[in-house]
């Protein structure tokens, strides 16, 4: 009887100890590390962001992570002052876009995060803060973020931009065409459609002719007119289009859909940005945005009530 009683008491004591230590761990995780404008950042928040860092192969100190979380609280608060508050559907849409870029569905992304002990809200709160801040900075300082043509020309001259590739821009009007190849088809079927495409390509001398031929052809499609400028296209495609006579078609190319070509309807000079000017404009805008964002965040953070616990 005494032995049985002793074992029961030991088991009870052990259970109490586990509960107590578990409670201490939970309490520590939920304890507040910092209050920002009356809103808490807990140790759990810091732990979650740290796990997110490890998932993206980042290595930061606890203070750096905490500073980021403080900044996000400040950004969200500042956004609310000016009516910038993305809806849940906006955030979910951005989350879905991020998942797609990683070749996953949103559900797969959630499962991947869960496998690392990360709640979806951890990533979504980060997404929301960046959405708010980007919209806020662009909206409040749009005039000062504009990049002037003189600044671009000065940068262009400094880069030695005096050849046609950097000073000329064209507008291309195109009709994409696809000869469909069923999924799972062998190399022979693909090659047969490629030869068919080459034969048809030789008959096309205008977009109107391409429209007539490919609309009447089974298992083929010609899409609506697409308009792009030089700055919108990758260098390799620009080179192909510049070498293609107007009214004719580019060489056949195998894709997931089948064999694709492009009928070039027109190629006209335009005053739109050249690829070099677009690159300079985007770089200068990004530099201005980063500088303004840094100054604005510093001012907003200095005005915030931040209380370390």
């Amino acid at each position: 009887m005494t032995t049985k009683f002793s074992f029961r008491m030991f088991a009870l004591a052990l259970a109490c100890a586990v509960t107590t230590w578990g409670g201490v761990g939970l309490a520590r995780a939920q304890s507040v590390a910092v209050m920002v404008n009356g809103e808490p950042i807990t140790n759990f928040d810091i732990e979650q962001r740290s796990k997110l860092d490890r998932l993206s192969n980042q290595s930061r100190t606890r203070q750096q992570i905490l500073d980021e979380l403080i900044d996000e609280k400040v950004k969200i608060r500042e956004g609310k002052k000016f009516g910038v508050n993305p809806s849940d559907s906006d955030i979910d849409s951005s989350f879905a876009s991020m998942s797609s870029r990683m070749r996953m569905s949103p559900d797969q992304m959630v499962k991947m995060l869960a496998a690392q002990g990360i709640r979806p809200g951890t990533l979504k709160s980060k997404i929301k803060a960046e959405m708010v801040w980007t919209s806020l900075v662009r909206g409040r300082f749009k005039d000062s973020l504009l990049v002037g043509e003189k600044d671009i020309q000065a940068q262009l001259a400094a880069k030695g931009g005096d050849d046609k590739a950097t000073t000329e821009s064209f507008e291309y009007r195109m009709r994409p065409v696809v000869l469909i190849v069923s999924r799972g088809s062998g190399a022979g079927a693909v090659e047969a459609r490629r030869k068919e495409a080459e034969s048809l390509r030789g008959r096309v001398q205008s977009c109107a002719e391409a429209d007539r031929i490919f609309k009447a052809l089974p298992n083929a499609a010609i899409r609506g007119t697409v308009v792009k400028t030089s700055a919108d296209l990758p260098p390799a495609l620009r080179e192909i289009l510049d070498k293609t006579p107007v009214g004719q078609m580019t060489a056949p190319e195998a894709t997931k859909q089948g064999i694709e070509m492009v009928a070039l309807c027109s190629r006209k000079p335009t005053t739109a940005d050249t690829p070099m000017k677009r690159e300079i404009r985007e770089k200068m805008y990004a530099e201005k945005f980063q500088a303004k964002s840094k100054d604005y965040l510093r001012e907003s953070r200095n005005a915030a009530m931040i209380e370390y616990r």
Side-chain angles (χ1 to χ4, degrees), residues 39-216:
E39 296 185 21
I41 295 174
T42 66
N43 286 300
F44 180 75
D45 296 328
I46 298 169
E47 179 187 335
Q48 284 282 291
R49 187 58 60 89
S50 179
K51 288 180 179 179
L52 194 61
D53 273 7
R54 288 197 293 273
L55 189 62
S56 57
N57 295 318
Q58 281 186 286
S59 179
R60 294 188 295 176
T61 65
R62 185 178 188 277
Q63 186 58 49
Q64 287 173 324
I65 292 171
L66 184 54
D67 282 337
E68 180 179 74
L69 291 169
I70 292 171
D71 287 345
E72 289 176 8
K73 291 286 187 187
V74 170
K75 289 174 180 179
I76 297 295
R77 171 91 170 205
E78 191 70 11
K80 287 180 179 178
K81 284 169 55 178
F82 293 93
V84 180
N85 189 22
S87 66
D88 289 343
S89 61
D90 291 332
I91 297 166
D92 287 342
S93 177
S94 183
F95 184 85
S97 296
M98 181 179 290
S99 304
S100 179
R101 289 195 296 273
M102 296 176 69
R103 298 183 178 180
M104 289 188 283
S105 68
D107 286 343
Q108 288 173 326
M109 174 78 93
V110 169
K111 289 178 181 178
M112 185 269 288
L113 292 172
Q116 303 299 320
I118 304 169
R119 294 183 178 180
T122 297
L123 179 54
K124 288 184 178 183
S125 64
K126 183 180 178 72
I127 289 171
K128 179 178 181 178
E130 289 310 306
M131 288 177 68
V132 166
W133 198 246
T134 299
S135 179
L136 194 57
V137 174
R138 286 179 177 172
R140 292 203 66 201
F141 307 104
K142 60 182 179 181
D143 291 338
S144 62
L145 295 175
L146 293 175
V147 179
E149 191 65 24
K150 287 184 178 179
D151 295 330
I152 294 173
Q153 291 297 339
Q155 287 286 326
L156 197 60
K159 289 178 176 287
D162 55 0
D163 57 36
K164 288 188 176 182
T166 58
T167 59
E168 288 189 352
S169 182
F170 293 95
E171 178 189 86
Y172 306 90
R173 299 180 71 85
M174 303 165 282
R175 297 288 301 276
V177 172
V178 59
L179 274 64
I180 300 167
V181 178
S182 301
R183 288 186 179 181
S185 298
V190 175
E191 187 58 29
R193 294 240 78 179
R194 185 191 295 275
K195 289 180 179 178
E196 183 182 3
E198 281 286 9
S199 175
L200 293 167
R201 178 190 180 207
R203 292 167 51 190
V204 172
Q205 298 299 315
S206 70
C207 279
E209 199 167 18
D211 185 74
R212 178 180 59 79
I213 291 172
F214 289 100
K215 277 186 175 178

